[in-house]
Amino acid sequence: MTRHPLTRRRLLALAALTPLAACGTAPADTGRLRVAFAAGGSKETLDPSQVSLFVDQARAKALFDTLVAYNADTSLRPRLAESWESDDSGTRWRIRLRRAAFHDGRPVTADDVLYTFRRIADPALASSSRQYFAKVDFGRSKAVSPAEIELTLTAPDFEFPSGWGAPGAEIVPAGTTDFTAPVGSGPFRFVSFTPGGPAVFRKNESHWDGAPGIDELEFVPVNEEAARVNALLSGQVDYAHDLAAGTAARLAGDGRVSLLEAKGTTMQGMMLRVTRPPFADPRLMRAVLSGVDREALNRVALAGRGEIGNDLFGKGLRGYATGIPQRGRDVEAARSLVRESGAEGLAFAVETSDVDPGFATAATLISQQLGEIGLKVTPNTRASSTYFSEIKTKGVAALTRTATLPVPTFLNQRFRTGGSNNVNGFASPEFDALMDRAAATPDESARLALFGDAQRIVHESGGLLAWGFSTWTIGVSKRVSGLVSAPPNTFDWARFDRARLS
Amino acid sequence: MPGYAARRLGFAVLQAMFVLVATFAVTALLPGDAASVVLGEQATDEQVATVRHRLGLDQPILDRFGHWFSGLLTGDLGRSLVTGAPVTEEIARRFAATALLAGVTLLVLVPLALGIGVTCGLREGSRIDRVLTSVTLFLHAIPEFVLGLLLVAGFAVYTGLLPATAAGTEPAARPEVLVLPVIVLVARQLCDVARQLRIGIAEQTRGQVAGHLRLLGLPERTVVLRHLLPAAAAPAVQQLARAVEGLLTGTVIVESLFAFTGLGTGFVEAVQNRDVPQVQGYVLTFAVVVVLGNLVADLVAHRLTPQREPAKW
């Protein structure tokens, strides 16, 4: 028997080899899909009514189901609701449910839907989706049968079903108050989760829409974009959410990853507060709208990967007013508007923050461009975590952005007198009346035409400079198939039950 | 010596109190609060007000501080405004991750710094001294972020030898995720500690004691390890204490680059969330680390140089 004495040299050689043998790249697991999202740390939750981050929404989508879901243009497709109809007035809605079951085997019934919507509408819960159910009269709404619900509204609304597909409207079992290990009816079952840490879900074999193509789904928090890309490139994760335009350009030729790019998903804009000087003077508001160069902003701030906007939300979505002529740069006209209102040399700040990668560049560029029409504009950078709540009350001009949501919803939130997110302070009885009339119009094309008229008013005097629409980019490893590009909040986005691993 | 330690500790408690009050005041000056941050972009004023009331943020700041402080006296750091979970839970979880990273870093750092410091100190001005000093200075000069990205590109993305991040792994179960972050942290700290040792050893080796011991015919190893090193180590120990503090409190860059959920990123997150109890918990943790680190370093230095009694104050 020969013995190998453990010499120092041998030990060193062993030590040098061990890490190579032990790690290699990440385990090539064929059953588990690992997806990396920027996370919110301890503020993350599995309660679908409290979603505020994309990662919360993606997890909610895996565990739960909504009654309906948005197609890429925000038109609706049935999910838990098999069909729905309203009476002629648009105040009474009847929804029929398909046969579906929660993860513990209980069927999804009318009571669960009523419980969920009543819960979301409760002001004490402060749910971000509360506005969609604020008009429901729960005292007069009821379960007709286990598979049929009747909801009664306090005012007609033929766009009401849109709210059922909004993030945060996922159906939870009646009586649920604790979401630490939630039971849903979605394509994946809960396995484990810590806020700010990973979440592991297992496939729901008996999902009504068919079992997922992967055994397990793991959400991995990676906040730093560079780290997210590195994790993807080295095979530690298979899906990296939210890549910057520059990264996307760099990865375009990389054989290890494919990019899912959803064009025009996020409106990039600047809101002008029309209730305060200087923009209480509509001439100055018009001067700003025609003083900026949308092409240049797109080229520089969106790295040429976005699309220019026409001061309206929702390019490409259902109900977007396509007939309004594109507003372009007209330095002469803008300059004379500034002169007319006696505002030459007027100084104001554009509120901005690094909450969006394009904001800093956009703020600088807009300041320069408005300098050319005789205004003195300086960017004012605010803290990113509180930016959107701060600009509700502070400043006269602020950069803003809005992800995909139905056009009528956006109009109601942003421009209706006293709307939930009406930061511009826009108030127009004519606009409000048009929105009411549209909501009460049963015929869809007539209704959308009325929404189009409402957008004309906003385009003229709403104080929104929507200069562009950015592209949403996701990096996916080549071993993943079955995923398609889609705007966040729509059906195909973060739809991991369709994914396959090779 | 016990008296010295007690005085130090008493003063440290006062310092920590001052820091806590200051933190509370500064956090109150920040724009927005937990209610507005948690609810996000689409929240209405009404929703923010509801949550603010629920969290007690509509109460006067002195009341809130008093409440928090009385909790502290009973060892209760309160609950997170964001999750409602006890602050100690979250911090303990993150402390474990950071301590692991810091511990492994020290295991590499201390012997390496000793070797380099002694080698360079004994051969001051030699070729090896100049080479080692240049290398450690160079490593010190590269920003952590740059070094980290270079290492990740070389060892993870292109060759696949090591994991690029700790994303989705339990570091204790897959220790190889520690390799790259530890290299970055060691590179950062090595220079200071090794240079302190080098200077100490160089001074000692030129001194009369060393010459005398060598004349007595003691082996060089005994001279260095028994006599030169303890005397030279005092300033290096202080430096090491600072390095430990840095590792336990401020490795935000390394943590975020390698997707580690440690104390550094946790603290930044708590500030961004305006989660005041959480922020205070972190500040308290950091204060304890700094105070203990300095105390231990002072006591060790005190022990290493017993002839020099610290001045009374």
Side-chain angles (χ1 to χ4, degrees):
Chain A
M1 189 172 118
T2 48
R3 290 190 57 180
H4 298 279
L6 198 61
T7 61
R8 194 154 65 154
R9 178 166 303 182
R10 187 175 294 273
L11 199 66
L12 280 173
L14 267 177
L17 279 175
T18 322
L20 292 183
C23 56
T25 45
D29 195 329
T30 48
R32 179 184 280 201
L33 179 75
R34 288 190 173 82
V35 296
F37 280 73
S42 51
K43 79 173 167 188
E44 293 177 4
T45 171
L46 291 181
D47 179 349
S49 76
Q50 302 293 316
V51 295
S52 63
L53 305 162
F54 282 126
V55 66
D56 289 328
Q57 289 171 22
R59 275 189 301 242
K61 195 175 232 182
L63 292 176
F64 302 95
D65 258 321
T66 42
L67 289 188
V68 300
Y70 297 142
N71 294 314
D73 70 346
T74 71
S75 59
L76 302 182
R77 75 163 68 190
R79 292 293 289 166
L80 284 179
E82 199 170 50
S83 65
W84 56 92
E85 77 223 352
S86 75
D87 66 355
D88 295 341
S89 71
T91 53
R92 196 174 279 185
W93 287 83
R94 192 171 275 230
I95 307 164
R96 267 172 301 276
L97 300 178
R98 72 171 70 246
R99 288 171 71 90
F102 288 110
H103 300 150
D104 58 5
R106 281 180 291 166
V108 178
T109 65
D111 287 334
D112 300 311
V113 175
L114 276 175
Y115 171 81
T116 301
F117 289 172
R118 194 190 297 263
R119 176 172 183 269
I120 297 170
D122 181 358
L125 189 72
S127 167
S128 56
S129 38
R130 186 182 164 228
Q131 58 208 345
Y132 302 108
F133 302 96
K135 273 199 260 179
V136 180
D137 180 348
F138 284 100
R140 291 165 60 210
S141 301
K142 58 180 190 290
V144 180
S145 73
E148 247 182 48
I149 310 122
E150 197 177 87
L151 294 172
T152 304
L153 306 184
T154 52
D157 187 2
F158 282 98
E159 285 290 316
F160 179 48
S162 275
W164 312 341
E170 284 82 3
I171 304 302
V172 305
T176 312
T177 50
D178 179 21
F179 288 89
T180 46
V183 168
S185 63
F188 293 93
R189 298 163 183 273
F190 174 84
V191 176
S192 66
F193 169 65
T194 38
V200 177
F201 301 155
R202 189 163 297 130
K203 74 168 161 183
N204 173 12
E205 294 279 4
S206 49
H207 189 240
W208 62 267
D209 199 15
I214 49 171
D215 296 330
E216 280 186 325
L217 172 64
E218 180 178 5
F219 286 85
V220 179
V222 188
N223 281 331
E224 190 66 45
E225 197 238 11
R228 218 151 51 232
V229 175
N230 288 334
L232 175 68
L233 286 175
S234 64
Q236 281 189 306
V237 299
D238 309 297
Y239 177 102
H241 190 250
D242 192 7
L243 305 184
T247 313
R250 188 159 54 81
L251 292 182
D254 196 301
R256 290 168 291 184
V257 293
S258 37
L259 298 177
L260 304 178
E261 298 187 277
K263 286 251 173 213
T265 52
T266 305
M267 182 202 78
Q268 297 283 343
M270 179 164 79
M271 62 106 196
L272 305 171
R273 211 177 309 271
V274 295
T275 47
R276 284 188 204 165
F279 301 112
D281 182 343
R283 288 173 300 187
L284 268 182
M285 186 196 71
R286 288 299 307 275
V288 168
L289 294 185
S290 42
V292 294
D293 184 344
R294 291 167 179 75
E295 303 279 354
L297 279 162
N298 177 50
R299 207 166 47 240
V300 182
L302 303 183
R305 298 167 70 83
E307 289 172 22
I308 62 159
N310 187 27
D311 300 342
L312 290 171
F313 170 79
K315 197 172 186 176
L317 300 186
R318 172 181 162 272
Y320 177 83
T322 46
I324 301 174
Q326 172 70 44
R327 192 171 273 148
R329 191 174 200 210
D330 188 340
V331 177
E332 277 318 307
R335 231 185 243 150
S336 56
L337 279 168
V338 171
R339 261 198 305 271
E340 263 176 52
S341 43
E344 267 172 298
L346 177 84
F348 65 92
V350 170
E351 311 298 331
T352 175
S353 88
D354 56 6
V355 72
D356 186 285
F359 274 13
T361 321
T364 313
L365 220 55
I366 287 174
S367 305
Q368 279 171 11
Q369 292 170 358
L370 294 183
E372 290 162 26
I373 65 165
L375 298 171
K376 281 201 182 110
V377 184
T378 40
N380 175 35
T381 308
R382 290 179 181 273
S384 55
S385 59
T386 51
Y387 179 71
F388 288 103
S389 63
E390 273 199 88
I391 59 168
K392 282 189 178 161
T393 51
K394 291 176 184 142
V396 292
L399 291 192
T400 184
R401 59 161 196 205
T402 304
T404 309
L405 78 177
V407 169
T409 307
F410 177 85
L411 293 173
N412 271 319
Q413 290 177 3
R414 286 297 187 98
F415 295 107
R416 203 183 253 281
T417 311
S420 63
N421 206 8
N422 186 345
V423 271
N424 293 17
F426 180 70
S428 153
E430 194 193 352
F431 172 86
D432 295 352
L434 265 172
M435 291 299 290
D436 287 341
R437 242 178 79 207
T441 303
D443 177 63
E444 185 173 14
S445 56
R447 185 163 72 242
L448 295 183
L450 287 169
F451 284 129
D453 293 343
Q455 287 172 75
R456 244 170 246 283
I457 297 177
V458 167
H459 189 254
E460 276 308 301
S461 49
L464 176 70
L465 165 69
W467 56 262
F469 289 88
S470 52
T471 295
W472 192 264
T473 309
I474 287 161
V476 182
S477 118
K478 279 276 173 13
R479 75 186 193 111
V480 180
S481 58
L483 298 178
V484 295
S485 68
N489 301 345
T490 63
F491 177 73
D492 280 316
W493 170 79
R495 183 99 237 143
F496 298 119
D497 52 330
R498 301 285 175 91
R500 295 277 187 287
L501 288 170
S502 58
Chain B
M1 187 140 136
Y4 168 63
R7 275 200 310 278
R8 282 291 323 264
L9 209 58
F11 189 63
V13 169
L14 279 180
Q15 280 176 314
M17 278 316 305
F18 175 77
V19 173
L20 286 173
V21 174
T23 317
F24 209 94
V26 171
T27 331
L29 288 179
L30 285 173
D33 57 22
S36 59
V37 174
V38 173
L39 288 171
E41 299 177 21
Q42 301 290 328
T44 63
D45 293 347
E46 179 205 4
Q47 288 168 338
V48 173
T50 308
V51 172
R52 192 168 284 152
H53 180 70
R54 192 164 72 206
L55 297 176
L57 293 174
D58 49 358
Q59 284 168 23
I61 178 164
L62 281 179
D63 289 8
R64 278 186 278 147
F65 186 75
H67 184 74
W68 179 82
F69 188 72
S70 58
L72 178 67
L73 293 180
T74 61
D76 177 11
L77 290 184
R79 287 173 174 272
S80 159
L81 294 182
V82 173
T83 57
V87 165
T88 41
E89 237 172 55
E90 166 91 358
I91 292 183
R93 193 161 58 86
R94 287 175 177 269
F95 190 84
T98 297
L100 178 69
L101 200 55
V104 177
T105 304
L106 283 181
L107 282 182
V108 180
L109 176 67
V110 171
L112 208 56
L114 263 178
I116 293 175
V118 171
T119 308
C120 294
L122 289 177
R123 299 181 185 75
E124 201 189 2
S126 71
R127 196 191 173 103
I128 183 129
D129 177 27
R130 275 176 295 153
V131 170
L132 286 176
T133 304
S134 309
V135 169
T136 54
L137 256 179
F138 173 70
L139 287 176
H140 188 74
I142 310 180
E144 284 162 300
F145 200 76
V146 175
L147 183 61
L149 281 179
L150 287 176
L151 288 173
V152 168
F155 290 97
V157 173
Y158 290 106
T159 55
L161 290 174
L162 290 164
T165 67
T169 49
E170 204 53 61
R174 284 190 73 209
E176 63 269 25
V177 303
L178 293 168
V179 176
L180 294 181
V182 164
I183 293 177
V184 177
L185 290 172
V186 168
R188 188 81 193 153
Q189 305 287 356
L190 184 59
C191 182
D192 289 333
V193 183
R195 276 162 70 87
Q196 282 290 355
L197 257 178
R198 174 187 171 276
I199 295 166
I201 294 280
E203 269 175 12
Q204 293 289 329
T205 200
R206 282 194 303 257
Q208 289 182 350
V209 180
H212 184 66
L213 291 170
R214 284 185 180 122
L215 276 180
L216 284 176
L218 283 177
E220 183 65 13
R221 219 168 73 183
T222 316
V223 174
V224 173
L225 292 181
R226 281 274 175 76
H227 301 279
L228 299 191
L229 199 53
V237 167
Q238 305 275 9
Q239 191 62 49
L240 192 64
R242 233 149 288 150
V244 173
E245 286 159 29
L247 289 173
L248 287 177
T249 59
T251 57
V252 185
I253 292 171
V254 171
E255 282 177 19
S256 52
L257 187 58
F258 293 98
F260 249 87
T261 44
L263 288 175
T265 46
F267 180 58
V268 171
E269 208 173 82
V271 172
Q272 280 173 351
N273 286 348
R274 305 290 184 268
D275 194 342
V276 182
Q278 198 89 270
V279 172
Q280 293 288 67
Y282 278 106
V283 170
L284 195 63
T285 309
F286 295 159
V288 169
V289 165
V290 170
V291 165
L292 280 184
N294 273 309
L295 188 65
V296 170
D298 281 356
L299 294 181
V300 171
H302 193 81
R303 178 89 180 75
L304 287 171
T305 52
Q307 72 277 20
R308 272 186 251 148
E309 204 45 58
K312 299 243 183 238
W313 44 268

